[in-house]
Amino acid sequence: MLDAPVKQHLIDPEICIRCNTCEATCPVDAITHDDNNYVVDAAKCNFCMDCIPPCPTGSIDNWFVVNKVFSIEDQFSWLELPPKPPEAETSTADALDDEAQHLLDEAHTGAGGHVPAPASAAKPRINLFNRAKPAIATVTGNLRITAPDTDSDVRHIILDFGTVAFPLLEGQSIGIVPPGRDANGRSHTMRLYSIASPRDGERPNTNNLAITVKRVHEPRDDGTMFAGIASNFLCDLTLGATIEVIGPFGATFLMPDDPDADIVMICTGTGSAPFRGFTERRRRTASTPRGRLHLYFGARTPGELPYFGPLQRLPETLIVKELVYSRIPEQPREYVQDRMRSRSASLAALLAKDTLHIYICGVHGLESGAEAALTDIAANAGLDWSALRARMRAEGRFHVETY
Amino acid sequence: MDAMATRTLIDFRTDPTCYKHWRIEFDGPVAHLIMDVDPNGGLVPGYELKLNSYDLGVDIELHDAVQRLRFEHPEVGAVVLRSGKDNVFCAGANIRMLGQSSHGHKVNFCKFTNETRLSIEDATENSGQTYLCAVSGPAAGGGYELALTASHIMLIDDRKSSVSLPELPLLAVLPGTGGLTRMTDKRRVRRDLADVFCTTEEGVRGKRAVAWRLVDEVIPPSAWAETVAKRAREAAARSDRPRDAKGIALTSLERRIDGGSIRYLLVSVDCDSEKRRAVITVHGPTEPVPDSVDDAVAQGAEIWPLAMARALDDAILHLRLNEPELGLWVFRTEGDPAAVLAYDAFLETHATHWLIRETTHFIKRVLKRIDVTSRSVVALIEPGSCFAGTLAELAFAADRSAIFAGEASGDNKPPATLTLGAANFGTYPMGNGLTRLQTRFLGEPQSLAKAQTAIGAPLDAEAANDMGLVTFAYDATDWADEIRIMLEERASFSPDSLTGMEANLRFPGPETMETRIFGRLTAWQNWIFQRPNAVSATGALQRYGTGQQADFDRNRV
Amino acid sequence: MPDGMTIDYDGLIPNNVDLATDQRVRKALETWHPGYIDWWKDMGPEGFQQSLVYLRTAIGVDPKGWAKFDYVKMPEYKWGILLAPAAEGRTIPFGKHKGEPAWQDVPGEYRAMLRRLIVVQGDTEPASVEQQRHLGATAPSLYDMRNLFQVNVEEGRHLWAMVYLLHKYFGADGREEAEELLQRRSGNQDTPRMLGAFNEATPDWLSFFMFTYFTDRDGKMQLEALAQSGFDPLSRTCRFMLTEEAHHMFVGDSGVQRVVERTVQAMQQAGITDPTDIASVRALGVIDLPTIQKKMNLHFSLTLDLFGNEISTNAANAFNAGIKGRYREDKLDDDHALIDATYPVLRCIDGQIVEQQAPALSALNMRLRDDYVKDCESGVGRWNRVIEKAGFGFRLKLPHVAFNRAIGEFAAIHADTEGNLLDGTAWNERKGAFLPDDADAAYISSLMVPVHETGKFASWIAPPRVGIDNKPGDFEYVQIVQ
């Protein structure tokens, strides 16, 4: 265990002003000080994050992955932080617990490598609540957003945190652990859901968030029906019910705050959730943005396209809506990548811009179709997509979250 | 414990060159009497005079300043009392000083400060020298009591400055330097508001202080200096004091202490600690009366009535503070009664002259000191004495008097007489507003009328006795023994009960603010000063400043 | 909610004290509210009231509640009544009532004392807003402007906190005092603020940083002492305020550090080796280190006066009564009663500075001041490391506690910054070497030009290491609407 790389919480002595706020806040007395420095005892810190928001300086927010932890005495002696271990340089933790990190690592594999957050993204808070100490949310909305006559039951669920602060950014996820036990008597595994609302709530300055949940209810090979435990639990929630929420998670799949950024958002189904958050954020903050949003959104039919109604009301100046349907009777099936190809001029122009950010979110496989289209469009414009993608990835401008 | 009384001789003589705590600034007819107490200038070690708090030493200087302003500055028609500190007017009597003082010292300290405050009001009322008070910074306790002596109190409205009497809530004693009495009797503050005020530690400021009649006006800081100056000029303009006159110097009072003998030019004191008695002999004038009032001014402080009164004043104060065990004072006089009456006539003739006016009021105040002194006072009217007019007041101030009847064998002194003068019928009222003779004959108006007919005639023992002007008349056969027995008996009684009895018997008749201060307020205060709630080791005075609260015996007595 | 964590944002006044059901206090506060807003508009930051400022607003009283940053117009800031959660079964931690249950209501016998403490504390909050109201016009960057405004709105909230206590616990008197908190004006001759340092002008940004470093730190010490109070609502209020106060410390600490950093950087670039070559350093458009030292001397000494007399009956009474404790009382290991304890106090005896043992109860102001001085040292050390790293021998140093004092033991004497006594003549001659003079003020004032371009900073100050809320360097912290 000693030599296994571990994450260590450290305070930057050059920036810390010794205000004692962190020490006063820490619920497990992990923070202490001498005449020199305020330091964190790695043996006690449980990453509860209580000390992070109240710190006035930002000196508190340092995380090193180390093979051997720095002792309190080491830290007392510092005039500045030691050089950050190189392996930690490249990774931006999406979560501080392995369960959520693992889920997000999986979801992000489609990007083909590590992607940092966009340069102008706000600093995310992660892991403020964990399994042991979840936030309690009240269900204040549970609305079906697909047509009643379709098989697809997608719900827009609003969770209100009352007075508990649950700071979040668009593109982040929350974790839900369905109540009860599995067949082996263990608690259920956590599910991640992308947040579908912007950082200041469903309506501005409300302390709530929305998630988009599709009820999983499908026939198994043996003919019986499989009912997703978490999705059914969520979709069946009644108003006023309380549930436990973990998170927030995600430190890379974030939107740029830069109003000049062009954002191409490619999604299917509930993959639209983060993009609803992006869109609302952009709509509320930038009255005359120079950058635009481009949504490539695929569904079987308009009735099965989540948020179909609200999307119609968004102005073209804000967002270019490319709604793509694969099951319209008597029409050829069109998929997202098909529409992208038919908009190659527009997309090629965007690919040339350094302000372009591309996000792909939906079921596994979506990214390969989208990338094939992008490769062609790029080639026609004289660009090498794989090189461009590598650059965009390194600059935090190409993100994939599929599952 | 009683450091003040036994170890250090308290000297009441001072002058502005020696002041540690006050300074006077003159601006034409306006004088500014500025309190700027030196924290390290306490009379004895053991306390610091922080925040313009005062001890007896501070008040001795104040008394001297008030006196000098009257005699040395006829041009001054208004005096502004103010603070030389930025952040405080005056925090009152120093608590730690009170905490470490003996009961006797506290009582005498309060008595002297009360007299000084009355002398300030006397200047306003009788000398055309109006006192105003400019309160900037908190005036707490004795600080506000000092302000109360002024005829016009101005309070700066800077939201920090306030007036307060926090003695009760803070120290479990009373605002005993006239505070309670002046509030109700002088300023006519409503009694219920006074009750609230005296139990509110932080006091009152701003408009409420005016509404409650605690001050006369509140003034914003921007208008402060100008308004204070204006009020002072207005008051000075109302004065009848001569703007162009030159004052006299209150020269240093010569005094020689040699064992039990204290010698001034015109007063001698012989102390007999064994017999617990002091014999105070006042010498009549030897110089003829001045030819003119200008001549009197030229004589300055040397002129007999003033020189005599200054010496007597100092002797009284000295004996009170430094000789507490001498419980019996015997007043004697030596000199020519006619000469005394001649000076009285001179004073009467020039009564409206500023210096003469000051002189008679000064004598009045010295005589009042005797009235409120907690010593048995006996006057012995012997052959060769000059109990006439002004000096006859000494006999009337005494608790009892004896006159020697007939001739004494073996000397050629003139026989003992008592001579009434006009001065005995209005010049020297007591604190109760009556003359000593009016007070004496409260139930015998005919005796008073008869006495008035005898003005100017030397009364022998028989006549004086018949007219009720003396207590006893003894001839040569009995005199020595009777007097010895009387004095020995007197010295044997409980000093406390004597003090109580005398203080009661001396002030029959109407109550005035002054008698209420010395009678009611002082008596209650002195009672409280004896009670454990104030003075025990766990009482409020001892606990003050330690951060610990007093433990009170909750029984109402 | 029983845990007191709930903030009600529905009513006019956000709160976690259940104002909704407390008719009396709600009415009082709602009556007070318009006066407050008027005060803010009259006396709050001048000229930027319509601008969008990226402010932190507390949305919860638990640690997580600190995370909310957003653009807000200052007059629409969510000022509210926020108390730290009540600690179950809390007892009075010191004084003669030690161990008794903490008071949830004001004990009658200490009412006046408590009210006085609260009014004095409350008076300082709006005072500093008033002192700083002109600074927006010369902000050296949008980042600094935002920090200024954050400090300002939080001082405003601290006023709310004290006013709530006055309204809730002190009846008609409390309402009157609360009203007067809005009437007094910093530096106004007729209606000054209660404490001296809060009537001094804050003429420039270096003064502002010094003020937030030194004077707000006094505020922090006072709050720390009041946070220990046996009067639980006061304790809870102050505990919450301390978290906000930490930000003010940060602004001052990092502000001075950035000024120092910029100065040594410019000297290095220009090849200046002598930091006391003031003319050459000033030619670079930065503030020379000796002038920074003088500003320190001024603000440090002015602030020491706020601690009052070294020996104080009021402090002793407040401690024994369980009203105001010591700095971090809960971490101290003694009997918390101090009846027989002593504490060394610097006194001025016969013109000499000597140390004497004094009863610890009476010496509480001295003790708090000692803690303060120690606390001040830490930042100075950090500033010196910047100078040292740049290879200069110059060191900043706190002046002696006897230097330039108007209150307490040393008010009567003059001393230099090392504590050597000076007579009046020597003091007048050398004063200009210790304290900023007119020429220094004029020079600093000449540097005070506004910089409103995102990511840009005035010539005399370095950019911060880390942005607020981890924002990138060119973040638009204030969207200026004139």
Side-chain angles (χ1 to χ4, degrees), chain B residues 48 202 205 221-222 546-547, chain C residues 115 180 189-190 320 347 361:
Chain B
E48 246 187 300
E202 70 204 64
R205 58 187 153 83
S222 57
T546 65
Chain C
R115 194 185 60 202
E180 292 199 11
Q189 193 189 4
D190 283 349
N320 195 49
R347 310 284 314 253
L361 266 181

Side-chain angles (χ1 to χ4, degrees), chain A residues 15, chain C residues 141 143-144 147 250 254 258 261 457 461-468 473 477:
Chain A
I15 297 173
Chain C
S141 70
Y143 167 86
D144 289 290
N147 284 352
F250 155 70
S254 63
R258 288 162 51 216
E261 205 173 297
F457 289 81
I461 189 163
R465 303 270 180 94
V466 182
I468 294 297
Y477 286 102

Side-chain angles (χ1 to χ4, degrees), chain B residues 419-481:
Chain B
T419 315
L420 295 171
N424 303 117
F425 295 89
T427 310
Y428 308 120
M430 297 170 62
N432 60 7
L434 305 180
T435 64
R436 287 180 184 75
L437 283 180
Q438 281 172 325
T439 306
R440 186 177 187 87
F441 294 130
L442 210 53
E444 306 173 30
Q446 70 285 1
S447 300
L448 185 65
K450 187 173 176 200
Q452 203 143 14
T453 63
I455 286 178
L459 305 171
D460 63 11
E462 195 181 356
N465 199 22
D466 284 352
M467 291 170 74
L469 296 171
V470 296
T471 318
F472 304 113
Y474 301 118
D475 62 13
T477 327
D478 295 331
W479 177 263
D481 253 9

